[in-house]
Amino acid sequence: MQVIRDLQDMQDLALAWRGRGETIVLVPTMGYFHQGHLSLMEYGRSRGDHLVVSIFVNPTQFGPQEDLDRYPRDFDRDCSLAREVGVDVIFAPDTTGMYPPGFQTFVTVEEVTRGLCGASRPIHFRGVATVVLKLFNLVQPQVAVFGEKDYQQLVTLQQLVTDLNLPVQVVGRPLVREADGLALSSRNVFLSPAERASALSLSQALFKARDLAANGERSRDRLFTALKPMFTCDPPINLDYLALVDSQTLKEIDTIHGPARLAVAAWVGQTRLIDNILLEVP
Ligand code: AMP
């Protein structure tokens, strides 16, 4: 496995591969790998000749009060996990390489980024779309793999690729959970044991909603009335949002007619967690 830090070296290698007609798969990450990341790499391994995993904690997707500085990092451990999965290249550019002095071009995906996390993190998806477009240009992938854990990010990047005619297939892969239901996240490391116990109520509420919908419940109001008491716990959970949205447009809906996503974001202590689930009414 090669580690590449230089942007030009990465692009030169990618263009050489493409010149030979070979396929490149990219898994973009911010590192501090867990089984959710590894599941994307395992899938990506099967989709092309070369698997590139980027590790870059992207400053332009963090707001000024957010956790950029304390975002967890363990580069050596990430490299050994990636090697075990059969990653060919870890691409780990530095911040000044990605955003040199004078950088001033950003890409904004509009409608699908307005609600959900976009409402409380106004510059987040602009940063995500910009860095992913840069990574696509540097790594030249035909396939890019993302997790449904960040469902709004996945929809945003599918829209980016469609709107800008990018020759990349964006693939979404299932959310990986702990045995007890907690969605795997690099930020889970910040949770105390008591906070982790409170955080479980997020996935439990989503599972309950999935079961209610499977039994025919279509009404957002009745779903939310059933779920809201589940978020009362100690230490407390501060809900940022609980939203029922159309799976494609991410617009809020009050009745489930087709594929719907129930999405939640909440603060548990100092840690912001997100989770979501597909709701299907038979
Ligand atoms: P991150 O390093 O948190 O930016 O995540 C990198 C990629 O891994 C994104 O496409 C995420 O959606 C995905 N990912 C993060 N957590 C999970 C999870 N629990 N299950 C599946 N994919 C995940």
Side-chain angles (χ1 to χ4, degrees):
M1 188 181 78
Q2 275 188 75
V3 174
I4 299 181
R5 293 192 179 272
D6 185 77
L7 282 72
Q8 194 62 57
D9 289 350
M10 181 70 249
Q11 198 178 49
D12 290 347
L13 178 62
L15 290 171
W17 285 336
R18 292 292 295 252
R20 297 202 295 260
E22 295 163 358
T23 50
I24 304 171
V25 181
L26 171 64
V27 178
T29 81
M30 299 204 299
Y32 209 71
F33 295 156
H34 50 64
Q35 195 53 48
H37 297 112
L38 300 180
S39 72
L40 305 184
M41 297 177 210
E42 277 155 15
Y43 170 81
R45 184 63 287 175
S46 70
R47 286 296 312 270
D49 300 317
H50 302 284
L51 175 59
V52 178
V53 173
S54 60
I55 299 180
F56 181 60
V57 182
N58 174 36
T60 64
Q61 70 189 66
F62 287 78
Q65 310 300 327
E66 294 181 357
D67 59 353
L68 172 64
D69 293 337
R70 58 182 215 118
Y71 195 83
R73 292 163 168 90
D74 190 340
F75 189 73
D76 293 341
R77 178 172 171 274
D78 286 351
C79 285
S80 53
L81 289 170
R83 199 173 288 115
E84 281 168 30
V85 183
V87 170
D88 296 303
V89 172
I90 290 283
F91 176 45
D94 65 16
T95 303
T96 41
M98 289 293 269
Y99 299 107
F103 183 93
Q104 53 188 287
T105 305
F106 290 89
V107 44
T108 305
V109 180
E110 305 225 329
E111 281 169 38
V112 295
T113 67
R114 290 215 176 99
L116 305 177
C117 289
S120 53
R121 305 186 73 190
I123 62 157
H124 176 69
F125 290 109
R126 179 184 87 140
V128 169
T130 302
V131 80
V132 168
L133 181 56
K134 284 172 68 71
L135 290 169
F136 285 176
N137 287 328
L138 291 163
V139 178
Q140 301 280 315
Q142 288 97 330
V143 177
V145 189
F146 297 87
E148 288 185 349
K149 158 83 176 4
D150 300 272
Y151 191 76
Q152 188 176 18
Q153 168 174 281
L154 173 63
V155 172
T156 300
L157 296 173
Q158 278 163 342
Q159 192 70 45
L160 172 81
V161 160
T162 302
D163 289 350
L164 298 186
N165 311 96
L166 303 179
V168 188
Q169 184 194 1
V170 168
V171 180
R173 298 291 299 164
L175 195 162
V176 179
R177 299 181 179 280
E178 303 268 18
D180 60 6
L182 184 70
L184 286 178
S185 164
S186 303
R187 289 186 172 99
N188 290 350
V189 68
F190 295 137
L191 300 172
S192 70
E195 287 171 343
R196 193 189 178 290
S198 289
L200 267 185
S201 59
L202 301 178
S203 53
Q204 281 163 359
L206 298 184
F207 297 154
K208 178 161 187 177
R210 180 192 55 198
D211 295 346
L212 290 168
N215 283 312
E217 184 57 81
R218 293 175 185 277
S219 152
R220 173 181 57 191
D221 289 351
R222 282 197 296 270
L223 282 171
F224 283 15
T225 304
L227 303 184
K228 281 274 166 68
M230 299 179 74
F231 300 117
T232 306
C233 36
D234 183 28
I237 284 190
N238 291 315
L239 271 194
D240 178 4
Y241 61 77
L242 175 68
L244 180 66
V245 298
D246 177 279
S247 289
Q248 252 123 58
T249 64
L250 302 187
K251 288 209 163 53
E252 296 211 27
I253 53 175
D254 52 23
T255 312
I256 303 174
H257 290 302
R261 282 267 157 184
L262 184 65
V264 65
W267 289 93
V268 186
Q270 300 299 304
T271 310
R272 187 174 182 278
L273 300 176
I274 58 173
D275 200 346
N276 72 86
I277 203 162
L278 173 68
L279 298 189
E280 291 175 299
V281 178

